[in-house]
Structures are given as structure tokens and as C-alpha cells.
């Protein structure tokens, strides 16, 4: 079929916003219970809940959701959450599984093979602040307990909170009695991860850090002995510190401690003989490379390596996008897994010689993948990708390196317009939208994203920018943003946009920028900064930070409440910096249309900041729209919300870039 000639932005596409919403999110938190594989999976059309999936062994059937609506398996520890479930195999009665239910944040026990069994609560509710929350559990049937992270609010403010390792009885006796929860640590550390038991069960290790550091700034590995009575003794820090980030800790089959640390400037995998450590023994880098074998710990329980029974270690590693490899710690040899996957999520599990992870690629959504380390064969075992439309409508992405001020490198992913049924008129350049990722200590993944395809299949290009400060490229790249948030990120996005225009890839008159959370901040600053004056024709700002001073003085959650110390500087030392960079105080500089999207239940970037910004913009003659969504928090999970947001963004571009889109409702812009 000969493609029809039509202007960029007007192309028809089978990828509609409802399809985008139905495929939003991806599986997380894979684990094994005996030979079974379990994970959580999004359900946008079921109110945005997370389903708990079970795959029985040996090809006995497809994966099944073990809990019906409205059960929602998601933890709110540190607000971004953490591993919300764990299970244990039993000789009789099938598996025992515990999970956190999102609406009440209680932990429940469930025996899926007991006929008529329903989840039973293990933990109590609390009337104080945001209550009690749990994450990163380990089920110990022999002790009759679950060991996990307890986050407990002690007052009404978001920073009135403490975190400890705790033991919860499996008999349900703590369901109405907080005193039945045993605290295993003293709460001296502001943040902790869940316990990791040594192979003999006599020791546990975990990560800890304190304000004002974030976990990618500096963490320590704490080690303690486990007594017969189930208490911890001789807790001590064995590695890490304020200037070394440990992303994960675990144990090798030989009883040595393994951890992913960045003492070399890269998160590499290390081995520590804990018995020799006190006698002058040090850590050994098992595979020294200028690559990342870890990542930013945004969720408690993220995992970049998995020790295997035979002494090998499954690792995620790479520059930018991680891939799965099998490392021999004795020789340092590393063999990568074949297959079409270019991106592996930070979650791994194993059962014998099998390694299970969650992976995606430029033409595949995230799916649950199993590797047989004996044969090297891989198999998709869950959430298998199927093309919802002809894949010719998907973009062909390109990883590129741009250059910013002083010649610094900027990593980005370019998604040009692509549609088999259309071509643009000769000489026309496409509009492009710069996507700024969240975090800002985050990264854009080079994977199939139907939201990107929604725009590229209509003739609108997308470029995702891993601006300075992004993870995946070593500590020095991450620390470019130290004290420079609102400068380096804005400059790098602008440098990419300008280069695309100068080289003739993008129409310089039809450039836009968009982002959510920290990306919303970068977008808003880009619309108010002299560094980008006249560059962007419009912007889409989602659940953003707009007022640094407000965010630093109680308008966010505890986890990020001192993040700005590293990103901007201490407020008491740099008050002008906080004011000068905040979009709230430069609303008079906004001259182009924008769309503002916000969840009304967001406690990370609260809607109060949007309210103040809109009040400052009102009456200045700048066309804008504000869509606020009930029941949505930080990031949108409901299908109807995602559909409305995607269509509104396209409607903004249609209006600003001057093309007609009858397939979406027009966007009413106020001034």
C-alpha cells in the first residue's frame, strides 16, 4: 500500500488513548515460592490495583491472579513503596504467602491452596498520622514470624516517622495488638531495607542511611548475629559510608557477603568475607568495569543481583540500559543472556538453576522471563508480549549522545515519527516533544512504550533525555546535578532540542517539553528560565514540584524531605537559589501555552503547589489548562485518568502546532 501524504501530527493511528491506558505499568517484584514463580501485575481497568500473580511449576497452566478485586498488593513505605509480598513453601497445605494491601497498608497472610481461604490480617491499624506500613518481608514458618521493614508514623507531619526491622507473628496475634510486633532494631537509622539472611540463618544484613543523604549518595551495610531466641546482637556497619552508595546486599552460597557498591565510581559487585573483615580483610571487586551493577534505590527491595545455589551470581549490568548476565565470582567471567530484551527491571529471583526476571525491549513490553543457566535457553513465562496493533506503527528508537555546555555528554533516546500508512509532505519537518524523566535520579528506558507510540504514530517525534544527574552512567554523571537542579537538567534538555532543530531532525518552531514529578519540575523551569527563552512552543507539566522552599519545609514526604540539600543546597545557606529557580516565583516569564496535570491525593508533590502556581499565572493572558484527578496520587494508575491525560496532551499539541485532531476532545484553555 502506498502511504498517504499528510502533514505531521495529522496521521491516523490504531493506537488510541484507551489502548495506552490498558498497557500502562508493568510487572514487578518477581519471586519464587519453591518452584513456583510469583509477581505483581498492574490492572489499570480495575481501579489501578496491583494483582498478585502465581505461575505453578512445570507447565501446569498459565499464570493466575490469586486475589480478586479489590485486593491491591502494593506497599506505601517511603511512599514509592517496596516489595509488598513474600512466600514460603510448606510440606503440607501448599504455599504460605504474606502481602500488603494498599488501601489499609495492613499485612495479610494467605493460603491459596486452602479451599475457601481468605486473607487474614497480621498487623494492626494505627490512628497516628499515616499509620503503620510494611515492606520487604521474609516469611519464616519455622519461627512463626515475618521479618520485614516497619514504617511507623508518630505524629501528624509527614516527617513524624520511624523505621525499624520488625518481626510480625504469623498467628495473627498482632492484628489488634501493636505490642505483639517485635522490633529487631532500635530505630537509630532513618531508613532501612529488609533483612537478608546468611545461608546458615545465623546472620542478617541490611542497608541503612540517614538524612540528608539519599540512598544513591551514601549507605552502609549493617550486619548482626541472630540468636536462638530470634533477636539481633552485635549489629555493626561493615561496609559503606556517607560517600559510598550500596544499592543491594545479599549472601553468596559460600556464606560470603555480596553487595553492589560504587566506591570505584560505578556500582560494581563486591565480595566481603565477614569473618576476615575484622582482621584486616577487605572487599573484592568481582568484575571491575565502568558499568553499573546496581541502581538508585527508589523502592525498598529492588534487586540487581541474585546469588545462585551453584556459586554463580545472576547480575544486571550495563551502561544505561541493564542486561542480564551470569557472573562466575571466582574468575570474573560474565556471560550475557541472549534474546530480544535490552532492558531488565531491578528484580530477580531464582529456583535451582533457573533465573527469573522482568525484561523488555524496543519492540516488546515488559514480560516475565526465565533463564535456564544450564542450557542458556530463555523462555517467557508470564505477561507475554503480544502486539496490540501492527508493530509497523511502533517507533524505531535510536540511542544517541548529544553534547551540552562545555562539551559534556548527554545520553538520550530518539523516537522519530513512524506510521506505515502515512508520509509527510516533502520538506516538512516534524514537531518534537522532549520528555524529561522523573527522579531526577532516574533514567529513561529504551523499551516499547505505547504512550510514546501514540504520539510517534501520529507524526510527532519524541526524545527522552537522560540529563546530567541521571542514573546508569556512573557516579560522576549522577553528581553533575549536585547543587545544579533547575540548571543542568534544563540546559541538557535544551541542548538536545536545539541540536535536533539545527541538524534538521525537528521543526524549530514546533518543539515542546513534558515531564512528571521531577520531570514536571524540569518542564516548568524550562518554561520560566532565561536559559530556554523562545525554545519551546508549549509544555505538559504533570504532578510537579513548583516551589522549592515549600517542598523543603513540609510539603512532601519524609523520604525526599531533604533531597534538595544535595540537589540545590541547604535552604538556610542558599535562600536566593531556592527562590530564583522556582517556577512559582517566575510565573511572569511563562509566555507559551501549558497543560498542568495533578492527582489530588498526591502527598509527594501536593496539589497546593499547583494551586499557587495557577494563581500566579491567572490573568496574564497565557493559555493553559488544569486537569486534577480525584483518587490519583503520584503518577496515574486508573485507565480513565490515563486516557484523559494522554488525549489532553495531544489536544494541546494540536492547538499549538496548528493541526486538526478530531479523534480527541478539544482542550479548553483559560487565560
Amino acid at each position: 500500500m502506498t502511504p498517504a501524504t499528510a502533514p505531521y501530527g495529522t496521521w491516523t493511528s490504531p493506537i488510541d488513548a484507551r489502548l495506552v491506558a490498558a498497557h500502562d505499568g508493568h510487572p514487578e517484584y518477581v519471586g519464587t515460592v519453591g518452584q513456583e514463580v510469583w509477581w505483581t501485575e498492574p490492572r489499570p481497568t480495575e481501579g489501578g490495583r496491583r494483582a498478585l500473580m502465581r505461575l505453578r511449576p512445570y507447565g501446569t497452566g498459565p499464570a493466575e491472579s490469586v486475589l480478586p478485586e479489590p485486593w491491591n498488593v502494593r506497599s506505601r513505605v517511603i511512599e514509592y513503596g517496596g516489595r509488598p509480598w513474600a512466600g514460603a513453601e510448606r510440606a503440607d497445605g501448599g504455599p504460605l504467602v504474606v502481602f500488603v494491601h494498599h488501601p489499609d497498608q495492613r499485612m495479610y497472610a494467605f493460603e491459596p491452596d486452602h479451599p475457601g481461604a481468605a486473607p487474614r490480617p497480621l498487623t494492626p491499624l494505627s490512628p497516628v498520622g499515616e499509620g503503620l506500613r510494611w515492606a520487604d518481608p521474609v516469611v519464616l514458618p519455622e519461627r512463626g514470624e515475618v521479618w520485614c521493614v516497619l514504617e511507623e508514623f508518630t505524629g501528624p507531619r509527614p516527617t513524624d516517622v520511624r523505621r525499624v526491622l520488625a518481626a510480625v507473628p504469623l498467628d495473627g496475634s498482632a492484628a489488634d495488638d501493636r505490642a505483639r510486633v517485635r522490633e529487631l532494631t532500635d530505630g537509630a537509622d532513618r531508613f532501612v531495607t529488609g533483612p537478608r539472611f546468611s545461608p546458615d540463618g545465623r546472620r542478617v544484613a541490611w542497608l541503612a542511611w540517614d538524612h540528608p543523604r539519599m540512598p544513591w549518595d551514601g549507605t552502609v551495610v549493617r550486619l548482626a548475629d541472630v540468636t536462638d531466641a530470634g533477636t539481633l546482637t552485635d549489629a555493626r556497619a561493615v561496609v559503606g559510608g556517607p560517600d559510598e552508595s550500596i544499592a543491594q546486599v545479599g549472601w553468596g552460597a559460600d556464606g560470603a557477603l555480596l553487595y553492589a557498591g560504587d566506591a570505584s565510581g560505578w556500582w560494581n559487585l563486591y565480595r566481603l568475607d565477614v569473618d576476615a573483615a575484622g582482621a584486616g580483610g577487605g572487599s573484592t571487586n568481582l568484575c571491575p568495569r565502568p558499568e553499573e551493577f546496581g541502581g538508585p534505590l527508589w523502592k525498598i527491595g529492588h534487586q540487581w543481583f541474585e546469588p545462585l545455589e551453584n556459586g554463580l551470581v545472576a547480575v544486571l549490568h550495563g551502561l544505561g540500559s541493564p542486561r542480564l548476565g551470569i557472573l562466575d565470582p571466582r574468575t570474573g567471567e560474565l556471560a550475557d543472556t541472549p534474546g530480544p530484551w535490552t532492558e531488565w527491571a531491578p528484580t530477580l529471583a531464582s529456583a535451582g538453576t533457573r533465573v527469573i526476571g522482568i525484561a523488555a525491549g524496543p519492540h516488546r513490553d515488559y514480560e516475565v522471563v526465565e533463564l535456564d543457566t544450564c542450557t542458556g535457553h530463555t523462555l517467557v513465562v508470564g505477561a507475554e508480549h503480544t502486539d496490540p496493533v501492527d508493530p509497523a506503527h511502533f517507533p524505531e528508537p535510536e540511542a544517541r549522545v548529544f553534547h551540552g555546555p562545555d562539551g559534556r555528554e548527554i545520553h538520550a533516546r530518539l523516537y522519530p515519527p513512524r506510521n506505515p500508512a502515512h508520509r509527510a509532505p516533502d520538506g516538512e519537518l516534524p514537531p518534537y516533544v522532549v520528555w524529561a524523566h522523573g527522579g531526577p535520579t532516574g533514567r529513561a528506558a529504551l523499551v516499547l512504550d505505547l504512550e510514546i507510540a501514540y504520539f510517534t504514530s501520529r507524526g510527532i517525534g519524541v526524545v527522552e533525555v537522560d540529563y546530567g544527574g541521571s542514573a546508569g552512567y556512573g557516579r560522576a554523571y549522577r553528581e553533575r546535578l549536585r547543587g545544579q537542579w533547575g540548571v543542568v537538567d534544563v540546559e541538557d534538555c535544551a541542548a538536545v532540542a536545539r541540536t535536533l532543530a539545527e541538524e534538521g531532525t525537528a521543526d524549530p518552531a514546533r518543539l515542546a517539553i513534558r515531564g512528571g514529578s521531577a520531570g514536571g519540575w524540569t518542564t516548568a523551569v524550562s518554561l520560566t528560565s532565561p536559559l530556554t527563552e523562545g525554545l519551546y512552543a508549549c509544555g505538559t507539566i504533570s504532578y510537579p514540584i513548583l516551589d522549592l522552599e515549600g517542598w523543603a519545609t513540609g510539603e512532601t514526604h519524609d523520604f525526599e524531605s531533604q533531597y534538595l540539600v544535595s540537589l540545590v543546597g541547604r535552604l538556610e545557606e542558599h535562600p536566593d537559589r531556592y527562590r530564583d529557580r522556582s517556577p512559582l516565583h517566575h510565573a511572569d516569564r511563562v509566555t507559551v501555552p501549558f497543560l498542568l496535570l495533578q492527582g489530588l491525593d498526591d502527598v509527594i508533590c501536593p496539589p497546593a503547589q499547583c494551586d499557587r502556581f495557577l494563581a500566579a499565572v491567572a490573568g496574564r493572558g497565557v493559555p493553559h489548562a488544569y486537569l486534577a484527578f480525584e483518587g490519583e496520587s503520584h503518577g496515574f494508575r486508573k485507565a480513565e485518568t490515563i486516557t484523559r491525560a494522554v488525549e489532553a496532551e495531544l489536544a494541546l499539541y494540536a492547538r499549538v502546532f496548528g493541526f486538526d485532531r478530531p479523534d480527541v476532545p478539544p482542550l479548553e484553555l483559560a487565560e
Side-chain angles (χ1 to χ4, degrees):
M1 185 180 75
T2 302
T5 300
Y8 286 115
T10 67
W11 301 349
T12 58
S13 171
I15 304 172
D16 63 19
R18 289 182 296 277
L19 188 65
V20 173
H23 288 79
D24 187 72
H26 61 77
E28 284 188 294
Y29 302 116
V30 70
T32 53
V33 183
Q35 295 298 313
E36 298 183 354
V37 180
W38 294 59
W39 65 90
T40 68
E41 200 168 278
R43 293 286 187 269
T45 58
E46 298 175 8
R49 78 180 185 104
R50 301 285 305 191
L52 184 60
M53 305 298 295
R54 178 188 189 183
L55 179 67
R56 299 172 190 265
Y58 314 120
T60 53
E64 58 187 286
S65 175
V66 299
L67 295 165
E69 292 186 76
W71 293 105
N72 186 352
V73 182
R74 183 160 69 94
S75 168
R76 284 185 61 191
V77 163
I78 69 168
E79 291 301 343
Y80 291 110
R83 186 177 183 85
W85 77 272
E89 187 180 37
R90 298 181 299 179
D92 297 310
L96 172 64
V97 175
V98 301
F99 67 92
V100 177
H101 181 44
H102 181 260
D104 61 14
Q105 285 300 290
R106 299 176 85 181
M107 189 157 56
Y108 289 77
F110 183 49
E111 298 171 277
D113 290 349
H114 280 206
R120 52 184 176 84
L122 298 180
T123 58
L125 296 170
S126 170
V128 179
E130 290 291 325
L132 303 172
R133 300 174 181 175
W134 317 84
D136 213 6
V138 179
V139 182
L140 305 171
E142 68 281 5
R143 292 188 180 274
E145 293 179 323
V146 182
W147 286 25
C148 58
V149 175
L150 161 60
E151 180 178 82
E152 182 172 24
F153 285 80
T154 59
R157 297 177 303 175
T159 53
D160 293 336
V161 63
R162 59 192 295 271
R163 298 174 186 89
V164 296
L165 295 184
V168 177
L170 281 168
D171 62 8
S173 58
D176 297 306
D177 186 359
R178 167 67 177 82
R180 296 284 295 172
V181 176
R182 290 196 307 119
E183 296 192 7
L184 301 168
T185 56
D186 60 9
D189 294 312
R190 190 71 172 191
F191 302 95
V192 294
T193 64
R196 300 293 179 262
F197 281 83
S198 61
D200 61 10
R202 297 172 56 192
R203 290 169 167 160
V204 294
W206 66 95
L207 302 182
W209 69 98
D210 293 288
H211 284 319
R213 291 184 297 278
M214 300 301 288
W216 42 86
D217 295 326
T219 52
V220 298
V221 174
R222 296 212 182 277
L223 179 70
D225 299 322
V226 182
T227 70
D228 292 340
T231 59
L232 302 184
T233 63
D234 192 25
R236 67 271 191 197
V238 293
V239 72
D243 299 312
E244 180 181 1
S245 169
I246 313 294
Q248 182 191 339
V249 64
W251 297 88
D254 61 355
L257 196 70
L258 302 177
Y259 66 92
D262 71 349
S264 69
W266 298 86
W267 276 305
N268 280 184
L269 186 63
Y270 290 82
R271 179 186 188 276
L272 176 67
D273 185 335
V274 294
D275 292 320
S283 298
T284 301
N285 190 335
L286 298 177
C287 190
R289 292 190 181 192
E291 294 183 6
E292 303 284 41
F293 288 69
L297 194 65
W298 278 103
K299 296 183 178 182
I300 304 299
H302 271 175
Q303 192 170 358
W304 292 268
F305 68 83
E306 169 73 4
L308 308 181
E309 294 176 357
N310 59 8
L312 301 177
V313 184
V315 295
L316 303 181
H317 72 102
L319 182 67
S321 298
R323 55 193 181 274
L324 174 64
I326 303 298
L327 174 67
D328 186 338
R330 296 166 299 176
T331 65
E333 294 182 0
L334 181 58
D336 284 337
T337 301
W341 308 284
T342 58
E343 180 84 22
W344 290 75
T347 179
L348 290 172
S350 64
T353 60
R354 300 153 56 215
V355 176
I356 303 95
I358 294 173
H363 304 101
R364 305 179 73 88
D365 201 355
Y366 285 94
E367 43 198 358
V368 183
V369 179
E370 180 180 300
L371 165 69
D372 186 329
T373 58
C374 291
T375 65
H377 293 161
T378 54
L379 177 68
V380 176
V381 297
E384 184 172 7
H385 171 79
T386 57
D387 291 325
V389 299
D390 182 348
H393 292 88
F394 301 155
E396 289 288 351
E398 177 186 355
R400 289 190 55 178
V401 178
F402 295 82
H403 292 88
D406 303 320
R408 64 177 181 249
E409 290 188 346
I410 307 166
H411 295 270
R413 286 96 163 94
L414 191 70
Y415 297 83
R418 183 174 185 241
N419 186 314
H422 295 281
R423 64 179 298 274
D426 292 340
E428 183 184 357
L429 294 176
Y432 258 83
V433 184
V434 175
W435 284 30
H437 64 69
T441 311
R443 182 178 56 83
L446 187 64
V447 300
L448 175 62
D449 184 336
L450 287 187
E451 188 172 7
I452 291 177
Y454 176 86
F455 292 104
T456 58
S457 63
R458 285 166 169 76
I460 302 171
V462 170
V463 59
E464 292 188 294
V465 181
D466 281 348
Y467 48 80
S470 300
Y473 308 97
R475 186 167 186 126
Y477 197 93
R478 291 200 314 273
E479 293 196 341
R480 286 184 190 174
L481 210 57
R482 184 168 289 273
Q484 294 297 307
W485 197 35
V487 179
V488 165
D489 51 325
V490 172
E491 289 178 338
D492 286 2
C493 288
V496 170
R498 289 190 177 107
T499 300
L500 293 178
E502 290 166 0
E503 69 185 22
T505 299
D507 183 345
R510 294 192 291 174
L511 295 171
I513 186 168
R514 62 97 81 173
S517 190
W521 154 268
T522 299
T523 299
V525 176
S526 296
L527 299 185
T528 58
S529 172
L531 298 171
T532 53
E533 187 174 358
L535 179 61
Y536 300 113
C538 62
T540 300
I541 307 166
S542 301
Y543 37 93
I545 299 132
L546 298 167
D547 176 11
L548 291 178
E549 186 174 2
W551 211 66
T553 55
E555 282 190 344
T556 193
H557 61 144
D558 183 62
F559 177 59
E560 294 179 275
S561 62
Q562 297 188 37
Y563 196 3
L564 298 184
V565 172
S566 61
L567 291 176
V568 182
R570 292 188 179 276
L571 175 59
E572 61 271 21
E573 297 174 5
H574 303 284
D576 292 344
R577 198 180 285 178
Y578 276 67
R579 183 176 182 84
D580 290 346
R581 296 185 193 171
S582 293
L584 174 66
H585 299 299
H586 300 292
D588 58 311
R589 295 179 183 167
V590 181
T591 60
V592 298
F594 67 88
L595 169 64
L596 183 58
L597 304 170
Q598 178 68 45
L600 292 178
D601 293 345
D602 193 342
V603 298
I604 296 173
C605 296
Q609 293 218 344
C610 291
D611 294 339
R612 295 200 297 272
F613 182 70
L614 290 169
V617 170
R620 295 185 179 274
V622 178
H624 63 276
Y626 179 47
L627 301 182
F629 301 101
E630 295 277 0
E632 293 284 10
S633 54
H634 198 65
F636 304 144
R637 292 177 171 84
K638 298 179 181 179
E640 58 270 25
T641 302
I642 298 165
T643 299
R644 179 71 180 106
V646 169
E647 291 182 341
E649 186 173 349
L650 178 61
L652 173 71
Y653 302 148
R655 179 159 176 170
V656 173
F657 294 154
F659 51 77
D660 187 34
R661 289 303 325 186
D663 53 335
V664 299
L667 187 64
E668 299 296 329
L669 299 179
E671 296 185 359

Coordinates of all heavy atoms in Angstrom, one line a residue, residues 206-240:
W206 N 21.5 -5.8 56.2 CA 20.5 -4.9 55.6 C 21.2 -3.6 55.3 O 22.4 -3.4 55.7 CB 19.3 -4.7 56.5 CG 19.6 -4.0 57.8 CD1 19.5 -2.7 58.1 CD2 20.1 -4.6 59.1 NE1 19.8 -2.4 59.4 CE2 20.2 -3.6 60.0 CE3 20.4 -5.9 59.5 CZ2 20.6 -3.8 61.3 CZ3 20.8 -6.2 60.8 CH2 20.9 -5.1 61.7
L207 N 20.6 -2.7 54.6 CA 21.1 -1.4 54.3 C 20.5 -0.4 55.2 O 19.3 -0.5 55.6 CB 20.8 -1.0 52.8 CG 21.3 -2.0 51.7 CD1 21.0 -1.4 50.3 CD2 22.8 -2.2 51.9
A208 N 21.2 0.7 55.5 CA 20.7 1.8 56.3 C 21.3 3.1 55.8 O 22.4 3.1 55.3 CB 21.1 1.6 57.7
W209 N 20.6 4.2 55.9 CA 21.1 5.5 55.6 C 20.3 6.5 56.4 O 19.2 6.2 57.0 CB 21.1 5.8 54.1 CG 19.8 5.9 53.5 CD1 19.1 7.1 53.2 CD2 18.9 4.9 53.0 NE1 17.9 6.8 52.5 CE2 17.8 5.5 52.4 CE3 19.0 3.5 53.0 CZ2 16.7 4.7 51.9 CZ3 18.0 2.7 52.4 CH2 16.9 3.3 51.9
D210 N 20.8 7.8 56.4 CA 20.1 8.8 57.2 C 20.1 10.1 56.4 O 20.9 10.3 55.5 CB 20.9 9.0 58.5 CG 20.8 7.8 59.4 OD1 19.7 7.6 60.0 OD2 21.8 7.1 59.6
H211 N 19.1 11.0 56.8 CA 19.1 12.3 56.2 C 20.4 13.0 56.5 O 21.0 12.8 57.5 CB 17.9 13.1 56.9 CG 16.6 12.8 56.5 ND1 16.2 12.6 55.1 CD2 15.4 12.6 57.1 CE1 14.9 12.3 55.0 NE2 14.4 12.3 56.2
P212 N 20.8 13.9 55.6 CA 20.2 14.3 54.4 C 20.5 13.5 53.1 O 20.2 13.9 52.0 CB 20.7 15.8 54.2 CG 22.1 15.7 54.7 CD 22.0 14.7 55.9
R213 N 21.2 12.4 53.3 CA 21.6 11.6 52.2 C 20.4 10.8 51.6 O 19.5 10.4 52.3 CB 22.7 10.6 52.6 CG 24.0 11.3 52.9 CD 25.1 10.2 53.2 NE 24.8 9.4 54.4 CZ 25.0 9.8 55.6 NH1 25.5 11.0 55.9 NH2 24.7 9.1 56.7
M214 N 20.5 10.7 50.3 CA 19.6 9.7 49.6 C 20.4 8.4 49.4 O 21.6 8.4 49.5 CB 19.2 10.3 48.3 CG 18.4 11.6 48.4 SD 16.9 11.5 49.3 CE 15.8 10.6 48.2
P215 N 19.7 7.3 49.2 CA 20.4 6.0 49.1 C 21.5 6.0 48.0 O 22.4 5.2 48.1 CB 19.3 5.0 48.9 CG 18.2 5.8 48.4 CD 18.3 7.1 49.0
W216 N 21.4 6.8 47.0 CA 22.4 6.8 45.9 C 23.5 7.8 46.3 O 24.5 7.9 45.6 CB 21.8 7.2 44.6 CG 20.8 8.3 44.7 CD1 21.1 9.7 44.7 CD2 19.4 8.2 44.9 NE1 19.9 10.4 44.8 CE2 18.8 9.5 44.9 CE3 18.5 7.1 45.0 CZ2 17.5 9.7 45.1 CZ3 17.2 7.3 45.1 CH2 16.7 8.6 45.2
D217 N 23.4 8.4 47.5 CA 24.5 9.3 48.0 C 25.4 8.5 48.9 O 26.7 8.4 48.7 CB 24.0 10.5 48.7 CG 23.2 11.4 47.8 OD1 23.6 11.6 46.7 OD2 22.2 12.0 48.3
G218 N 24.9 7.9 49.9 CA 25.7 7.1 50.9 C 24.8 6.2 51.7 O 23.8 6.7 52.3
T219 N 25.2 5.0 51.8 CA 24.5 4.0 52.6 C 25.6 3.1 53.3 O 26.7 3.1 52.9 CB 23.6 3.1 51.8 OG1 24.3 2.5 50.7 CG2 22.4 3.8 51.2
V220 N 25.1 2.4 54.3 CA 26.0 1.4 55.0 C 25.3 0.0 55.0 O 24.1 0.0 54.9 CB 26.4 1.8 56.4 CG1 27.2 3.1 56.4 CG2 25.2 1.9 57.3
V221 N 26.1 -1.0 55.0 CA 25.6 -2.4 55.2 C 25.8 -2.7 56.7 O 26.9 -2.6 57.3 CB 26.4 -3.4 54.4 CG1 25.9 -4.8 54.8 CG2 26.3 -3.2 52.9
R222 N 24.7 -3.0 57.3 CA 24.7 -3.4 58.7 C 24.6 -4.9 58.8 O 23.8 -5.5 58.1 CB 23.6 -2.7 59.5 CG 23.7 -1.2 59.6 CD 23.2 -0.6 60.9 NE 23.3 0.8 60.9 CZ 24.4 1.5 61.2 NH1 25.5 0.8 61.6 NH2 24.3 2.8 61.2
L223 N 25.3 -5.5 59.7 CA 25.4 -6.9 59.9 C 25.1 -7.2 61.4 O 25.6 -6.5 62.3 CB 26.8 -7.4 59.5 CG 27.0 -8.9 59.7 CD1 26.2 -9.7 58.6 CD2 28.5 -9.2 59.5
A224 N 24.3 -8.2 61.7 CA 24.0 -8.6 63.0 C 23.9 -10.2 63.1 O 23.7 -10.8 62.1 CB 22.7 -8.0 63.5
D225 N 24.2 -10.7 64.3 CA 24.0 -12.1 64.6 C 22.6 -12.3 65.0 O 22.0 -11.5 65.7 CB 25.0 -12.5 65.6 CG 26.4 -12.3 65.2 OD1 26.8 -12.5 64.0 OD2 27.3 -12.0 66.1
V226 N 22.1 -13.5 64.7 CA 20.7 -13.9 65.1 C 20.8 -14.9 66.2 O 21.4 -16.0 66.0 CB 19.9 -14.5 63.9 CG1 18.5 -14.9 64.3 CG2 19.9 -13.6 62.7
T227 N 20.2 -14.6 67.3 CA 20.3 -15.5 68.5 C 19.2 -16.6 68.3 O 18.3 -16.5 67.5 CB 20.0 -14.8 69.8 OG1 18.6 -14.4 69.8 CG2 20.9 -13.6 69.9
D228 N 19.3 -17.7 69.1 CA 18.3 -18.7 69.1 C 16.9 -18.2 69.5 O 15.9 -18.8 69.0 CB 18.7 -19.8 70.1 CG 20.0 -20.6 69.6 OD1 20.3 -20.5 68.4 OD2 20.6 -21.2 70.4
A229 N 16.9 -17.1 70.3 CA 15.6 -16.5 70.7 C 15.0 -15.6 69.6 O 13.9 -15.1 69.8 CB 15.8 -15.8 72.0
G230 N 15.7 -15.4 68.5 CA 15.2 -14.6 67.4 C 15.5 -13.1 67.6 O 14.7 -12.3 67.1
T231 N 16.5 -12.8 68.3 CA 16.9 -11.4 68.5 C 18.2 -11.1 67.7 O 18.9 -12.1 67.3 CB 17.1 -11.0 70.0 OG1 18.1 -11.8 70.5 CG2 15.8 -11.2 70.7
L232 N 18.5 -9.8 67.5 CA 19.7 -9.5 66.8 C 20.7 -8.9 67.8 O 20.4 -8.1 68.7 CB 19.4 -8.4 65.7 CG 18.4 -8.8 64.7 CD1 18.3 -7.7 63.6 CD2 18.8 -10.1 64.0
T233 N 22.0 -9.4 67.7 CA 23.0 -8.9 68.6 C 24.2 -8.5 67.7 O 24.4 -8.9 66.6 CB 23.5 -10.0 69.5 OG1 24.0 -11.1 68.8 CG2 22.3 -10.5 70.4
D234 N 25.0 -7.6 68.3 CA 26.3 -7.1 67.7 C 26.0 -6.5 66.4 O 26.8 -6.8 65.4 CB 27.3 -8.3 67.6 CG 28.7 -7.8 67.3 OD1 29.0 -6.6 67.6 OD2 29.5 -8.6 66.7
A235 N 25.0 -5.7 66.3 CA 24.8 -5.0 65.0 C 25.9 -4.0 64.7 O 26.2 -3.2 65.6 CB 23.4 -4.3 65.0
R236 N 26.4 -4.0 63.6 CA 27.6 -3.1 63.2 C 27.6 -2.9 61.7 O 27.1 -3.7 60.9 CB 28.9 -3.7 63.7 CG 29.4 -5.0 62.9 CD 28.9 -6.3 63.6 NE 29.5 -7.5 63.0 CZ 29.0 -8.7 63.2 NH1 27.9 -8.9 63.9 NH2 29.7 -9.7 62.7
A237 N 28.2 -1.7 61.4 CA 28.4 -1.4 60.0 C 29.6 -2.1 59.5 O 30.7 -2.0 60.1 CB 28.5 0.1 59.8
V238 N 29.6 -2.8 58.3 CA 30.7 -3.5 57.8 C 31.3 -2.9 56.5 O 32.4 -3.2 56.2 CB 30.4 -5.0 57.7 CG1 30.2 -5.6 59.0 CG2 29.2 -5.2 56.7
V239 N 30.5 -2.1 55.8 CA 31.0 -1.5 54.6 C 30.1 -0.4 54.2 O 28.9 -0.3 54.7 CB 31.0 -2.6 53.5 CG1 29.7 -3.0 53.0 CG2 31.9 -2.1 52.3
G240 N 30.6 0.6 53.4 CA 29.8 1.7 53.0 C 30.1 2.9 53.9 O 31.0 2.9 54.7

